[in-house]
């Protein structure tokens, strides 16, 4: 059964305390990256704001000048939608309308993109193999936790997308 399910015109999921805590931390880190921590030289920022014209640096700079502020604001608002919908200090139910569900999808995607850069996940990376290798090396490492969160965000994104399509 998927984590998210459709109930009428809402998309509903129940989160355990730790799940809500992890989602709050991840969404908060995305907001931090896009506000106080915004560094155009950071590879994560480069992944979240790819070059519009890779062969034309001047065109990319011009495009960025006109769009970056709005794109940043949208990404911050999407992460904010996750924070706003999660239960405050415990686990519990999240009920999203279609607009909030789409904001969650975009926010989960941004978080996965950011984590993927930091974890050096590539298109052909076998996540299960990466996780197995990390566990074999040190089951208590932060990499094991981060890969697990990355996989969880993918699962959550897929379950929400499936609920939206149903």
């Amino acid at each position: 059964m998927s984590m998210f399910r459709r109930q009428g015109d809402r998309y509903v999921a129940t989160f355990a305390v730790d799940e809500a805590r992890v989602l709050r931390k991840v969404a908060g880190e995305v907001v931090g990256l896009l506000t106080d921590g915004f560094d155009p030289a950071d590879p994560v920022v480069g992944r979240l704001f790819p070059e519009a014209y890779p062969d034309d640096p001047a065109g990319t700079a011009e495009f960025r000048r006109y769009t970056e502020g709005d794109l940043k604001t949208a990404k911050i608002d999407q992460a904010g939608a996750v924070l706003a919908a999660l239960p405050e200090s415990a686990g519990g139910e999240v009920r999203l309308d279609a607009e909030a569900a789409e904001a969650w999808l975009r926010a989960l995607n941004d978080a996965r993109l950011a984590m993927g850069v930091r974890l050096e996940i590539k298109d052909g990376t076998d996540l299960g193999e990466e996780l197995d290798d990390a566990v074999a090396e040190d089951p208590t490492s932060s990499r094991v936790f981060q890969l697990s969160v990355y996989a969880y965000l993918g699962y959550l994104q897929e379950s929400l997308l499936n609920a939206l399509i149903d």
Side-chain angles (χ1 to χ4, degrees):
M1 184 169 131
S2 294
M3 176 170 279
F4 272 97
R5 63 203 176 281
R6 187 177 193 148
Q7 287 185 352
D9 64 347
R10 299 282 183 212
Y11 304 93
V12 180
T14 302
F15 292 94
V17 174
D18 289 341
E19 291 172 316
R21 187 176 300 131
V22 165
L23 285 173
R24 280 190 167 289
K25 181 165 179 43
V26 167
E29 287 176 359
V30 169
V31 170
L33 176 75
L34 297 172
T35 54
D36 300 335
F38 192 78
D39 176 5
D42 184 338
V44 171
V45 172
R47 184 70 174 107
L48 293 176
F49 299 91
E51 294 183 358
Y53 309 105
D55 297 331
D56 180 6
T60 293
E62 185 74 4
F63 181 80
R64 196 171 297 250
R65 184 167 70 98
Y66 288 109
T67 62
E68 189 173 79
D70 289 341
L71 288 173
K72 259 200 306 191
T73 299
K75 289 178 181 301
I76 291 166
D77 289 348
Q78 291 155 12
V82 172
L83 293 168
L86 285 168
E88 282 298 317
S89 60
E93 190 174 81
V94 169
R95 300 179 67 77
L96 308 173
D97 62 19
E99 184 179 338
E102 289 186 21
W104 269 59
L105 278 177
R106 290 188 297 273
L108 291 169
N109 189 60
D110 286 344
R112 289 190 79 235
L113 287 173
M115 287 188 78
V117 170
R118 295 282 191 246
L119 293 167
E120 299 179 358
I121 304 284
K122 307 290 184 223
D123 282 342
T125 299
D126 181 329
L127 189 57
E129 190 176 301
E130 279 292 313
L131 192 51
D132 288 345
D133 290 348
V135 168
E137 188 172 316
D138 178 3
T140 63
S141 72
S142 63
R143 182 161 178 83
V144 170
F145 177 74
Q146 292 166 346
L147 286 167
S148 298
V149 170
Y150 181 84
Y152 172 70
L153 294 175
Y155 165 75
L156 191 59
Q157 188 177 25
E158 182 179 0
S159 87
L160 181 52
L161 184 60
N162 287 335
L164 281 164
I165 298 173
D166 284 347

